[in-house]
Amino acid sequence: MKTLGLLFTRNVSLKIWVDSGLLEREKMIYEEQLKQGTYDEIYWFTYGTGDDKLAEKLIREGKLDGRIKVIPMPALWKGRIGYDLYSLLMPVIKRKDFKRLDIIKSNQMDGAWTGLIAKRLFHIPFYFRTGYTNTMFYRKMTQRKDFNLWKFSKIEKMLYNKCDLATVSSEHDRQYLCETYGIQKEKISVLVNHVNTEKFYDMKKPQRKERLVFVGRLVEQKNLFYTIEAVAQAKAGMDIYGQGKLQEQLFEVIKTLDADVKFMGTVPNDQIPSILNDYKYYILASEYEGMPKTLLEAMACGNLCIGTKVEGIEEVIADGVNGYLAEDTSVTAIREAIERAENDRQFEEKKEAAQKYIREKYSIQSVLDKEKELCSQFWEGKN
């Protein structure tokens, strides 16, 4: 019997996954692993005080595999300081559950130290997985060196040096970590973000809107102020799905520019494939990215994708082959990329190239096979 434990990101609960529409996406790989017999049971260690009751409800409704055991945080630890303390004491407080595990895996860096503590206490192999590299994002967000960067760097270096297995979502993340911390390249593997190509595909709708669509958080990283200005200059239209702290400021910019840009709110993840299929173009003109899932999903759905020539995006879009890249993150460069896409007469060829690329490299099965191969070293002697 093989058992995996997943550590939720510190402060994140199953309820947050459900309320934000992320459950469908996040649970996918674990339910597939159970279905294919990679694991017999999977434990989710969360920071929600009522997550066990919520999980029981989801299982009754057929929305969660019953072999996923949700281990909630006791109410005693709720609160900012409590979350921090619980992340350190979780292996002791939940030791009966941790002792059942064959592998303990992190979901992101924040809270991953719980896995290292469990490794030390119970000799459980620690699989350090991240979707993005914390210090690389922090450097780009703040453009400064401070105590937080120093703290994150120390934690990051310790986790990569002490873990039994590490994966990142892109080659540029691995290169950054190896150069920054002097880590051997063989210590870190690239395990790309997966796309469920059975849900994200070209639905062959009779008519796609001649508009751009953006799906994501309304934050500085996404470069939406310049994107909206570029859309206005190109006399194009764009619909935005998502929410975030910049919405009011973005709305004011739209009014000032009289741009044809509409906020569509948030939608559950299971509705996104149909929404993407309503549009001809998808845009992600970010200042930086890790490995953006929504871009991969848009390519799988047959959108002609427009991005910026930055890490994370240029690793996926080949300019003029399966999409278009703006030379930089400026208004002018983004506008020119939009205009090139709108004037493209080989939409079908580029759409098919994008879909083929996603199927070959980012399908859930290819990711499952690689992770299974990486983790098989810990299964010797297990039935």
Side-chain angles (χ1 to χ4, degrees), residues 165-300:
L165 169 66
T167 63
V168 294
S169 63
S170 65
E171 184 58 46
H172 70 261
D173 279 59
R174 175 162 70 168
Q175 184 176 343
Y176 164 85
L177 291 165
C178 292
E179 291 176 357
T180 303
Y181 302 124
I183 300 170
Q184 292 296 314
K185 197 172 183 180
E186 295 73 23
K187 174 82 174 182
I188 304 172
S189 298
V190 176
L191 191 67
V192 298
N193 289 329
H194 62 270
V195 177
N196 186 345
T197 51
E198 293 182 1
K199 292 187 176 182
F200 291 89
Y201 64 96
D202 185 359
M203 298 176 182
K204 307 294 183 184
K205 290 189 176 183
Q207 188 66 43
R208 288 176 179 250
K209 298 175 187 176
E210 294 280 339
R211 294 174 67 82
L212 298 123
V213 63
F214 167 86
V215 180
R217 295 172 297 122
L218 311 185
V219 294
E220 289 87 349
Q221 172 199 350
K222 304 301 180 181
N223 198 27
L224 287 166
F225 292 106
Y226 282 3
T227 302
I228 289 168
E229 190 172 347
V231 168
Q233 289 186 9
K235 294 181 171 50
M238 179 170 72
D239 293 336
I240 295 174
Y241 291 83
Q243 62 183 0
K245 62 182 181 179
L246 297 182
Q247 182 162 338
E248 289 302 318
Q249 296 175 56
L250 291 167
F251 187 70
E252 290 302 316
V253 170
I254 291 167
K255 285 200 299 183
T256 300
L257 297 172
D258 193 26
D260 182 11
V261 177
K262 299 175 183 176
F263 288 108
M264 311 301 287
T266 57
V267 293
N269 189 255
D270 59 2
Q271 292 180 24
I272 292 177
S274 181
I275 288 169
L276 290 172
N277 271 271
D278 286 336
Y279 295 86
K280 188 171 183 180
Y281 308 102
Y282 174 87
I283 188 164
L284 184 66
S286 299
E287 295 176 356
Y288 56 91
E289 285 288 346
M291 181 53 63
K293 275 195 172 184
T294 53
L295 173 59
L296 304 177
E297 290 167 350
M299 293 173 74

